Amino acid sequence: MPELATVLEEVKKEVRPSEEELRDALTFYEELKEHISESLRISSPYRIELEGSLAKGTALKGDLDLDVFVLIRDEDLSREVLIQNFIKPLELELSKHYLVRRRFASHPYLRVRKGSLEADVVPAYWAKDLSEIRTAVDRTPFHTRYVVNHLTESMKDEVRLLKKFFKGIGVYGAEIRTQGFSGYLTELLIIKYGSFTEALKAMKGWGEGTVVVVENCGEDLATLRQFFRDDVLIVPDPVDTRRNTAAAVSKKSLTLAILAASAFLKEPDKKFFSPPRRALSLEHLREELRTWGRELVIVLYKMKEPVPDVTWGELRRVCSRVLRSLEVSDYPVVDCGTWSDEENFAMIAFDVVNHEKIPPFRIMSGPKKVVGEHLVRFVEKHLRSYEVGPWVDFEGRLKALKPRSILNVEEYLRSNSHVLSCGSGEVVLITSNLAELLRYLEGRGVDKDAVLQWLTAVVAKRLPWL
């Protein structure tokens, strides 16, 4: 295995943006800034600032994270005012020069593209100090200034390493799709630990409820854990200590980060930063499923008005709801996975035991506590509706076998379509036939390779960096 220092030096060279790339991005920013200034028709004072990793000097090659903030000093700057007086007119004017898309998460903004360059144009309230902050977006300029003031030049390379590492293991980004580590949180970890290696050493020892204090906030660890008790990782924002910068990190992302940090420190390898993305053929996928007695049941949605954060949030809720329903009905489930092109389609894959392997009955259990009336009620309810039982098992528990009316999970989902309800889209296909799925998507603008990569990850399951 290559030495740690060798791996890190090679990756540093690969993730640093070139001078030409930075120059082109800054030229695009200045050009965009000029168009915004010429297009805005608002009477309130405003200023345009560059935020994001490009402004902080922590951008990755090929992913410059160009955020253009228009800070507006208007006391009546509501969401509705932003849409009517900022988003709509600016979208109309910028569309004359660029490809523009309106984006709506919790805050409306515009995504502007010119060739390979992309920028988010974000309106926000111009807060003079933290006491004036109205939304999370308003805090961004304060974050930029904090990072710029605390990162040395050498630490910027360390940030890039950690960002690329998080991207490689699939936990980079605070959006609902990932529920991982934001760019700002990544920068704070380097400010705290000083280097990529030290950050990973600390991460290796993390656990659920870990508190990382970047800058003394005047509270002890017990108080912080109580204040942020619903969060799996706690990193108080040095800019605003009432906020946990790691609030978005899910238990899954935390587990992946701890596992990957431990594995990398044991055997350093570039594959953690750029793991191979496999796309098995349909025949290979079928063979893998057959070998383990599994099948995938895919639910495909056609999205109405796709808003990525809303879409991913609803997919997670549907997934949880269906898993609970399958569990109650005793259908063995291995796993589930979600996918979306964030434009037209979204999918949930339920990895389940092949219907041919599912017993034709369910084991029904009586009350745990021995109470006469409860026992009698169970017997009266089920005496004539079951083919086997009721009986009392060796632990004194009433049992009965109930025949299944539906053995196939695909058929079960068709018969219980209410559990698949998704406000952002409608179900257009439920199938365990992967070839049927690909045939449906063919010619509808969906990247077949991206779908096969996702299906491969759901079926094969092995983390690509292990």
Side-chain angles (χ1 to χ4, degrees), residues 135-202:
T135 69
V137 174
D138 303 340
R139 197 182 284 110
T140 301
F142 296 92
H143 287 166
T144 300
R145 288 194 284 273
Y146 183 86
V147 172
V148 169
N149 291 334
H150 288 80
L151 278 184
T152 64
E153 283 302 313
S154 63
M155 290 168 73
K156 292 176 183 178
D157 267 346
E158 303 300 313
V159 170
R160 291 189 184 97
L161 284 174
L162 190 54
K163 282 186 178 181
K164 188 65 174 175
F165 183 82
F166 282 154
K167 278 179 175 284
I169 64 174
V171 300
Y172 184 73
E175 67 277 2
I176 295 175
R177 173 181 182 173
T178 306
Q179 293 185 314
F181 295 74
S182 68
Y184 178 56
L185 174 55
T186 306
E187 290 153 352
L188 290 182
L189 292 176
I190 296 301
I191 291 171
K192 167 67 176 178
Y193 296 113
S195 72
F196 169 79
T197 304
E198 291 304 313
L200 258 60
K201 287 179 181 177

Side-chain angles (χ1 to χ4, degrees), residues 59 77 122 125 153 157 166 175 198 231 256 282 370 387-388 400 459:
L77 200 64
V122 185
Y125 180 70
E153 283 302 313
D157 267 346
F166 282 154
E175 67 277 2
E198 291 304 313
D231 298 335
L256 284 169
L282 278 182
V370 179
E387 295 182 0
V388 178
V459 172

Side-chain angles (χ1 to χ4, degrees), residues 32-322:
L32 187 55
K33 181 178 179 181
E34 185 175 343
H35 282 305
I36 293 171
S37 298
E38 292 174 351
S39 304
L40 273 184
R41 300 288 184 270
I42 54 177
S43 57
S44 303
Y46 71 90
R47 71 180 187 190
I48 302 171
E49 286 188 2
L50 179 63
E51 312 291 348
S53 60
L54 185 62
K56 292 178 279 192
T58 61
L60 291 172
K61 184 175 184 178
D63 187 10
L64 297 186
D65 190 20
L66 212 165
D67 295 332
V68 181
F69 270 56
V70 182
L71 304 174
I72 306 168
R73 190 71 179 176
D74 185 343
E75 299 305 317
D76 298 319
L77 200 64
S78 65
R79 179 184 174 89
E80 292 69 28
V81 168
L82 282 178
I83 293 172
Q84 291 301 321
N85 299 346
F86 182 91
I87 295 292
K88 287 183 177 180
L90 196 59
E91 179 184 23
L92 184 64
E93 289 299 320
L94 292 181
S95 295
K96 298 174 183 178
H97 310 280
Y98 312 105
L99 176 64
V100 180
R101 285 196 163 177
R102 199 184 303 183
R103 308 290 284 196
F104 289 90
S106 56
H107 191 86
Y109 64 99
L110 297 173
R111 181 154 291 170
V112 180
R113 175 174 285 275
K114 178 185 179 183
S116 61
L117 294 170
E118 190 174 76
D120 287 341
V121 178
V122 185
Y125 180 70
W126 183 354
K128 298 293 180 66
D129 56 54
L130 289 170
S131 65
E132 294 186 343
I133 287 175
R134 300 178 175 188
T135 69
V137 174
D138 303 340
R139 197 182 284 110
T140 301
F142 296 92
H143 287 166
T144 300
R145 288 194 284 273
Y146 183 86
V147 172
V148 169
N149 291 334
H150 288 80
L151 278 184
T152 64
E153 283 302 313
S154 63
M155 290 168 73
K156 292 176 183 178
D157 267 346
E158 303 300 313
V159 170
R160 291 189 184 97
L161 284 174
L162 190 54
K163 282 186 178 181
K164 188 65 174 175
F165 183 82
F166 282 154
K167 278 179 175 284
I169 64 174
V171 300
Y172 184 73
E175 67 277 2
I176 295 175
R177 173 181 182 173
T178 306
Q179 293 185 314
F181 295 74
S182 68
Y184 178 56
L185 174 55
T186 306
E187 290 153 352
L188 290 182
L189 292 176
I190 296 301
I191 291 171
K192 167 67 176 178
Y193 296 113
S195 72
F196 169 79
T197 304
E198 291 304 313
L200 258 60
K201 287 179 181 177
M203 208 178 299
K204 182 181 176 181
W206 285 356
E208 191 172 349
T210 290
V211 180
V212 179
V213 178
V214 179
E215 192 172 296
N216 184 19
C217 58
E219 301 288 355
D220 59 33
L221 298 187
T223 302
L224 290 170
R225 285 195 182 96
Q226 178 61 26
F227 190 70
F228 299 113
R229 58 185 174 274
D230 295 328
D231 298 335
V232 298
L233 178 66
I234 301 165
V235 185
D237 188 346
V239 165
D240 182 356
T241 55
R242 299 164 300 174
R243 172 181 176 267
N244 177 18
T245 60
V249 178
S250 66
K251 190 180 293 188
K252 178 180 178 179
S253 290
L254 179 65
T255 302
L256 284 169
I258 295 169
L259 177 61
S262 305
F264 179 83
L265 290 172
K266 185 176 181 180
E267 293 186 9
D269 195 297
K270 287 173 66 176
K271 67 182 179 182
F272 285 85
F273 300 92
S274 299
R277 304 297 181 190
R278 292 192 299 163
L280 296 176
S281 66
L282 278 182
E283 188 50 48
H284 277 91
L285 291 172
R286 292 193 195 102
E287 183 58 34
E288 180 80 9
L289 291 168
R290 272 195 302 268
T291 299
W292 290 92
R294 298 151 54 203
E295 64 184 354
L296 286 189
V297 179
I298 308 290
V299 181
L300 176 66
Y301 295 89
K302 178 73 174 69
M303 307 314 293
K304 299 170 185 174
E305 291 186 29
V307 178
D309 274 0
V310 174
T311 297
W312 288 107
E314 290 193 339
L315 289 177
R316 288 180 183 277
R317 286 190 288 274
V318 172
C319 202
S320 296
R321 187 165 63 237
V322 173

